[in-house]
Amino acid sequence: MSALLDAPGSTSVPVVPHPCDAPPIGVLLFNMGGPGTLADVEPFLVNLFSDRDIIELPMGALLQPIVARIIAKARGNGVRRNYASIGGGSPQLRLTRAQAEALNARLDRDGGRRHVVEVAMRYWQPGTDQALQRLADAGVSRLVTLTLYPHYSRATTGSSRKEFDRVLAQPQWRDRFEVSHVEAYPDHPHYLDAMADTVRQALAGFGDERRDGVTILFSAHGLPQKFIDEGDPYVEHTHRTVAGILERLQVPNPHVIGFQSRTGPVTWIGPGTEDVLRELAGQGVRDVLMVPVSFVSDHIETLYEVDQLFRDDAMRAGIVDYRRSEALNTHPLFIEALADLVSRQLVVA
């Protein structure tokens, strides 16, 4: 057939592959990960505390993994109890996979190219190496990494990116993928719209006569103060998100910001969320809406720390009505934000 088409006097018609025949575009979601079972808790903690991008223990890089195992052993029972209270393990992998499926469907809906969305957990499975293998097996050559931390920090997205670069440098992956990265989106319009929607819905649950007086407490994950002093933009990103949410809400409610999940022998950014709750109660505040502003899915920080630990603290301090806005999970506007972030990378490329 080719010879006939190219014979003298014939018209050669190039065969243009259908867009769906082209290699799929790969998307790799970065997330923290969490122990799926109670038996996974200690090895998960070892992975977490071994990462000097999270906590830089003073004994040095060579000894940190050894000390991490000691810390994991010492804290294991308490952390297992916390995970037992939310069902026996972290739901983060299940929820992140649901986000990946929703994003995959949204990207494919526009047609033209297929997409393969995979998940790389930083401290548990599936890891970056597993994710890259699945992407390669699917025929992916163009890849966009997309963080599920809206606010950049070297302790979160930075650590996942460092691990990605380490794995990508291995011989089997060199020059295998064309890669670009989405590393933050603190004021992406659809992300802010999604956050504002969850806050609006939660406020609607308070009585009409009390709603405008509810204090909104935005709670973000803590970070060692040293990181901010060295130029980490995390706090500034967090404040940009809060400002964007409030701009969309246009409500008279007072608001405050706190930082949670602080641990380890270092100075952390503040104020601590638990301290803010006690201060609010001391000021006579009785109605509080918690907004986990730096988390895009439910996990131990929302289901245990916010829903149980902080609730108990708040009630003991005198808060009467304590509620939390829903995590984004697969909120359609959040998925739209992620799809737009990926699409922009492909247009730029």
Side-chain angles (χ1 to χ4, degrees), residues 100-171:
E101 291 171 6
L103 175 59
N104 213 142
R106 173 62 187 85
L107 290 168
D108 284 353
R109 196 176 76 202
D110 287 340
R113 288 288 286 272
R114 293 180 299 115
H115 298 80
V116 177
V117 183
E118 290 290 347
V119 174
M121 295 300 193
R122 180 62 184 90
Y123 302 111
W124 203 238
Q125 304 303 323
T128 301
D129 50 352
Q130 296 167 287
L132 285 182
Q133 186 63 63
R134 285 195 297 270
L135 289 165
D137 291 345
V140 166
S141 58
R142 177 72 175 90
L143 176 60
V144 178
T145 74
L146 174 58
T147 182
L148 290 177
Y149 305 100
H151 316 112
Y152 181 87
S153 172
R154 83 183 210 202
T156 52
T157 299
S159 182
S160 288
R161 172 68 185 277
K162 185 182 291 185
E163 173 66 7
F164 175 84
D165 290 343
R166 183 192 69 79
V167 174
L168 196 66
Q170 295 174 0

Side-chain angles (χ1 to χ4, degrees), residues 124-272:
W124 203 238
Q125 304 303 323
T128 301
D129 50 352
Q130 296 167 287
L132 285 182
Q133 186 63 63
R134 285 195 297 270
L135 289 165
D137 291 345
V140 166
S141 58
R142 177 72 175 90
L143 176 60
V144 178
T145 74
L146 174 58
T147 182
L148 290 177
Y149 305 100
H151 316 112
Y152 181 87
S153 172
R154 83 183 210 202
T156 52
T157 299
S159 182
S160 288
R161 172 68 185 277
K162 185 182 291 185
E163 173 66 7
F164 175 84
D165 290 343
R166 183 192 69 79
V167 174
L168 196 66
Q170 295 174 0
Q172 69 268 35
W173 302 127
R174 284 191 196 132
D175 303 320
R176 176 64 178 77
F177 301 101
E178 177 191 353
V179 185
S180 59
H181 305 277
V182 177
E183 297 196 319
Y185 40 95
D187 43 16
H188 188 283
H190 293 319
Y191 163 63
L192 294 176
D193 290 342
M195 288 295 299
D197 184 58
T198 64
V199 177
R200 194 177 292 111
Q201 290 186 41
L203 283 173
F206 290 89
D208 291 344
E209 70 284 355
R210 297 177 9 248
R211 185 175 302 128
D212 289 351
V214 173
T215 296
I216 303 173
L217 172 47
F218 295 95
S219 187
H221 201 288
L223 195 70
Q225 181 63 46
K226 175 184 177 181
F227 293 2
I228 305 303
D229 295 341
E230 293 175 349
D232 197 298
Y234 177 78
V235 171
E236 188 265 333
H237 281 188
T238 300
H239 282 272
R240 279 164 57 185
T241 291
V242 170
I245 295 170
L246 293 172
E247 181 181 5
R248 281 158 173 76
L249 290 175
Q250 292 295 303
V251 292
N253 301 72
H255 73 277
V256 288
I257 299 176
F259 296 90
Q260 66 181 88
S261 310
R262 303 182 300 171
T263 186
V266 296
T267 300
W268 290 75
I269 56 177

Side-chain angles (χ1 to χ4, degrees), residues 298 301-311 322 324:
D298 278 314
E301 278 87 358
T302 60
L303 299 175
Y304 170 70
E305 197 168 6
V306 174
D307 289 354
Q308 299 180 49
L309 184 64
F310 292 161
R311 175 183 290 276
Y322 173 100
R324 170 173 72 88

